[in-house]
Amino acid sequence: MPGSTHSDGFLWGAASAPHQIEGNNTNSDWWVREGQVPGLERSGDACDSYHRYEEDMRLLAEAGLNSYRFGVEWARIEPVPGEFSRAELAHYRRMIDTALGFGLTPMITLHHFSNPRWFAEEGNWAGERAVDRFVTYAERVTDILGDVPYIVTMNEPNMLAMMLTRDRLTLKEQQRSGMWQSPTVDTDRRVKWPTPDTDISDALVKAHHAVRDVVRAHTDAAVGWTVANRAFAARPGAEERKRELEYIWEDLYLEAASGDDFIGVQAYSSVWVGKDGIEPHPPHPDNTQVGSAYRPDALGMAVRHTWEVTGHTPILVTENGIATADDTRRIAYTDEALRHLFAAMDDGIDVRGYLHWSALDNFEWGHWTPKFGLIAVDRETFERRPKPSLAWLGDVARRGRP
């Protein structure tokens, strides 16, 4: 919908993930991991959004946004295999009703990196029963999702595959060294990402397709998954190497979105590829708090690449943002990113919405320092303090474009 605006159904919102904001997700594999690896900060109470979600949603709605992407936590819903918590299902149903009551279109993520600890102990996504386990969970949880307009089966399966493959290789090393490397923090000491094991990649694609069928059988929702897009750029002579890396990192998962109702684009920065592969990003004063380059143009690059590879599957920007303590910089970054996005839309690319990452400053998968939020959270009192960027994005939403 080129040039689409607020009035014709374009989603303007913000996103979150349950483990990063809810607090005390004690039955998850991530909670277990936080107690095993030195240097990995604990999520603890997180933002206490399990109890304060109504305030979070009200702040988004009052600012002028019309959508909220949030997750349901598998580890809460199915605490042991085959046993489902009616109380937890009711909790997430209340969240959906609350969002609808505020005029926020809910977008529900079924899996956002974290698993029940029993699932991890069974072998995680390489386990023999992994796909069946995820399907059984989806069949139960879709009972409360009948009127949800958008459902994401899985968040960033490409990053998940990389993390799981790396964990096989490096968890013992991390335990010995006392250095935790978050999947979202990019430093010059970063563990080199390995090529994902094919058994993991295959399981994630199978799980997505199977759960897509479950969602369509039980709901009227548009269904898809989200892919982390690194917006690769090739140095002269490295075009073939770039194509190889793009397939491993992204295109395998974008191609698996064939037949989906939408594809979620998640873009933050761009990465150079030379003849030897991905170039480490050097320290620079403009780098973000997670060490990545300041590249608001990456969103336009990611949208155009995704549109081409998927064969013109409708796009939702399900994450885009910047880790910075300077909110004026967040506004500048987001304004430029949106201009690149709308230039792509004006060229005919079908983009249905923009959801900023993130609604709240939250637990950044092992670290508390990076600030991505439109809303600051006092970690002692849990007081919410909306930043100027929240009001700014609400004003953009009311206008319908940057």
Side-chain angles (χ1 to χ4, degrees), residues 119 122-130 164 168 197 199-200 203:
F119 180 84
E122 278 188 349
N124 217 308
W125 288 101
E128 290 182 6
R129 304 183 65 182
L164 291 171
R168 290 180 175 180
D197 290 343
D199 59 339
I200 296 173

Side-chain angles (χ1 to χ4, degrees), residues 17-32:
H19 189 78
Q20 294 181 260
I21 65 169
E22 286 182 340
N24 299 300
N25 185 22
T26 57
N27 195 47
S28 80
D29 59 343
W30 264 90
W31 186 271
V32 174

Side-chain angles (χ1 to χ4, degrees), residues 109-163:
T109 306
L110 299 181
H111 185 277
H112 200 129
F113 289 162
S114 52
N115 303 299
R117 62 184 301 169
W118 58 260
F119 180 84
E121 289 163 0
E122 278 188 349
N124 217 308
W125 288 101
E128 290 182 6
R129 304 183 65 182
V131 174
D132 291 341
R133 292 294 200 195
F134 192 48
V135 168
T136 300
Y137 156 67
E139 287 173 342
R140 188 67 180 88
V141 79
T142 49
D143 288 347
I144 65 165
L145 305 180
D147 58 348
V148 171
Y150 298 92
I151 295 176
V152 174
T153 62
M154 193 174 292
N155 182 77
E156 295 186 347
N158 51 338
M159 290 301 297
L160 185 58
M162 297 283 177
M163 281 191 282

